[in-house]
Amino acid sequence: MDGPIITVDVSKGNCHYQPFLKKGVPLRKPKVLHDTVEGFEELKQMIDKTKEKSGSDHVSVIFEATGVYHRCLQKYLDDNHIPYCIISPLLSAAYRNTNLHGNKTDALDCSHIAKAYYDEEGLLPFFKQSDLFLKLQKLNRYYESELQHLRKRKVSFRSTLDIIYPLLDRCFKGKASLYDSVPMEILKKYPHPSLLLKHKTETIAKAIERKTDHNIPFIEQIIEKMKECAKHCYSGCEPSDIEVLKLPEMIEELQIQMKLCDSILHELIEEAEKTEYFKCIVSIIGIGENLASRLIAELGDMSRFPNIRTLSAFAGLNPKIRQSGDVDGTHLKISKKGNRHLRCLLYLGASCNYRLKKHDILYDFNKKKRQQSQSPLKPKAANTAAAHKLLAIIYSLSKSGELYRS
């Protein structure tokens, strides 16, 4: 990359910015940038001054993605139609580590960001996507956040259940789920084995029938399973202990969290179905509506990627070069300097495809990597290679508009 730029080291409180006419030629020393109207107007004046000094009409602003702190700066640049490029903090950190002393200050970070911009190939100016893709990404990040809370609640619930009802989870295998409405309602009403065994199956079934969507025979079948477990398990607490008293409240909170995650996912799928990519991606073996919607949310508008190499770099699946002598350094290692959310979803998609064991292009590729005669890959490495293959397939389908053919 070349040309005049202004680098901004974004942080909470005080930011710093520094103009560069070209690589290694700063126009002035770094200066504090305040997140105020006056501060942003000062930045605009510096952009005009850099244009005048460089003789160029195009000056981009370069800064790191810092979670939430860069959003105000980004909105100001969008509102004033100023071009900008957002780079990964891992990328600028890698260039900072090339410094002899490895010092990190707000002022020095501006020069490290500039070095990353000028030396790195394939960096693209920020592409403002349509409202639909922006909404999808925000929904997916919201879903991931709530999903983390759900996992924590499930871990807490299972830990408490292992004390009160040891081995109860073994009654629910295959299609049967411990988190179905029937066992949840039974545990809320009878949170201790002794309480469950005191009542007849018919009485319990009538007590919870209205709170579930299942018929009486199915409910009675679940009750009998739980009663059989209650007869043989030795509970680690008494009915009056705090774990038993808090279990109904814990289950209620867990059910609310599950409903919230389901509602967000339902909305995410509805919005993703409006895009041109949905039918193509959901046609791939191992990818259902859930995963397809989340992939679209993180991929966004794929027309902004000129080739698969730039998309691979965006996902952080591009090779990490560590060359030394005859070793080319391009084998296996990935940079991980990209969208980690997208990378995890692609890995999940490749794993699901392999578990189905249907002989399609992606499965055969994954299997070949695991069984190759020279240096066969371990499952994790093979899935990572297959994730890159999956990304290439998705990119090809999105360009052609065709459905996946195994």
Side-chain angles (χ1 to χ4, degrees), residues 40 270 374:
F40 288 140
E270 280 189 340
Q374 294 184 350

Side-chain angles (χ1 to χ4, degrees), residues 89-246:
L90 290 174
L91 182 61
S92 61
Y95 281 91
R96 182 174 65 248
N97 292 335
T98 61
N99 188 12
L100 180 62
H101 301 290
N103 295 328
K104 184 187 185 310
T105 65
D106 291 336
L108 281 174
D109 281 346
C110 290
S111 61
H112 297 144
I113 293 171
K115 189 175 182 181
Y117 174 80
Y118 284 122
D119 290 352
E120 196 70 17
E121 295 181 1
L123 288 179
L124 299 174
F126 186 81
F127 180 90
K128 187 172 176 60
Q129 302 184 79
S130 66
D131 292 340
L132 175 59
F133 287 112
L134 292 174
K135 182 179 180 180
L136 279 169
Q137 188 185 59
K138 290 177 181 178
L139 276 173
N140 186 54
R141 300 293 172 86
Y142 180 38
Y143 176 69
E144 287 185 356
S145 174
E146 294 302 328
L147 208 57
Q148 288 182 359
H149 294 305
L150 178 60
R151 292 191 189 106
K152 290 179 181 178
R153 291 190 184 280
K154 282 186 175 181
V155 169
S156 180
F157 165 68
R158 295 296 282 263
S159 298
T160 305
L161 199 64
D162 285 340
I163 298 171
I164 304 172
Y165 276 90
L167 308 180
L168 179 64
D169 52 349
R170 294 189 181 181
C171 297
F172 300 93
K173 292 183 178 180
K175 294 183 179 180
S177 173
L178 177 62
Y179 302 105
D180 188 68
S181 58
V182 176
M184 289 286 100
E185 292 301 327
I186 293 172
L187 288 172
K188 276 199 291 185
K189 195 164 185 65
Y190 310 99
H192 193 273
S194 62
L195 299 176
L196 182 65
L197 294 172
K198 283 181 181 178
H199 297 82
K200 294 181 179 179
T201 300
E202 296 80 5
T203 305
I204 299 171
K206 289 180 180 178
I208 66 166
E209 181 187 7
R210 294 181 181 178
K211 297 182 180 180
T212 68
D213 297 327
H214 299 284
N215 54 34
I216 289 292
F218 179 82
I219 295 172
E220 289 180 347
Q221 183 183 352
I222 299 297
I223 295 170
E224 288 299 328
K225 279 186 179 182
M226 295 179 67
K227 274 192 169 185
E228 188 65 26
C229 176
K231 288 176 184 177
H232 300 287
C233 74
Y234 195 92
S235 182
C237 57
E238 296 295 327
S240 58
D241 287 349
I242 187 66
E243 292 92 347
V244 178
L245 298 176
K246 285 292 181 180

Side-chain angles (χ1 to χ4, degrees), residues 133 275-288 290-305 307-308 311-312 314-315 317 341-350 353 360-362 385-405:
F133 287 112
T275 67
E276 57 187 307
Y277 309 131
F278 185 81
K279 289 183 178 179
C280 300
I281 296 177
V282 84
S283 67
I284 300 173
I285 295 173
I287 297 182
N290 178 345
L291 187 54
S293 302
R294 298 181 65 191
L295 280 167
I296 293 169
E298 293 301 330
L299 285 164
D301 189 347
M302 281 182 277
S303 64
R304 71 189 193 274
F305 300 108
N307 50 55
I308 184 58
L311 179 55
S312 178
F314 173 76
L317 289 171
H341 305 277
L342 174 59
R343 197 162 56 248
C344 290
L345 292 171
L346 289 167
Y347 185 91
L348 178 61
N353 175 274
D360 65 314
I361 298 169
L362 193 58
H388 186 275
K389 182 75 172 179
L390 174 59
L391 183 61
I393 291 171
I394 290 173
Y395 183 73
S396 177
L397 294 177
S398 69
K399 287 292 183 183
S400 65
E402 298 178 359
L403 300 182
Y404 181 72
R405 295 194 298 271

Side-chain angles (χ1 to χ4, degrees), residues 30-98:
K31 189 177 179 181
V32 174
L33 171 65
H34 299 288
D35 292 341
T36 60
V37 175
E38 294 77 17
F40 288 140
E41 284 300 320
E42 186 179 325
L43 176 65
K44 193 170 186 300
Q45 291 173 11
M46 181 53 67
I47 293 173
D48 295 335
K49 186 176 180 180
T50 306
K51 286 181 179 179
E52 182 182 343
K53 290 286 184 180
S54 64
S56 173
D57 292 332
H58 185 86
V59 176
S60 295
V61 178
I62 318 299
F63 56 95
E64 296 175 336
T66 55
V68 297
Y69 302 134
H70 72 273
R71 294 290 294 276
C72 296
L73 172 63
Q74 184 179 356
K75 187 174 187 307
Y76 177 81
L77 297 174
D78 283 331
D79 292 342
N80 289 272
H81 308 289
I82 299 171
Y84 59 92
C85 180
I86 304 177
I87 66 173
S88 167
L90 290 174
L91 182 61
S92 61
Y95 281 91
R96 182 174 65 248
N97 292 335
T98 61

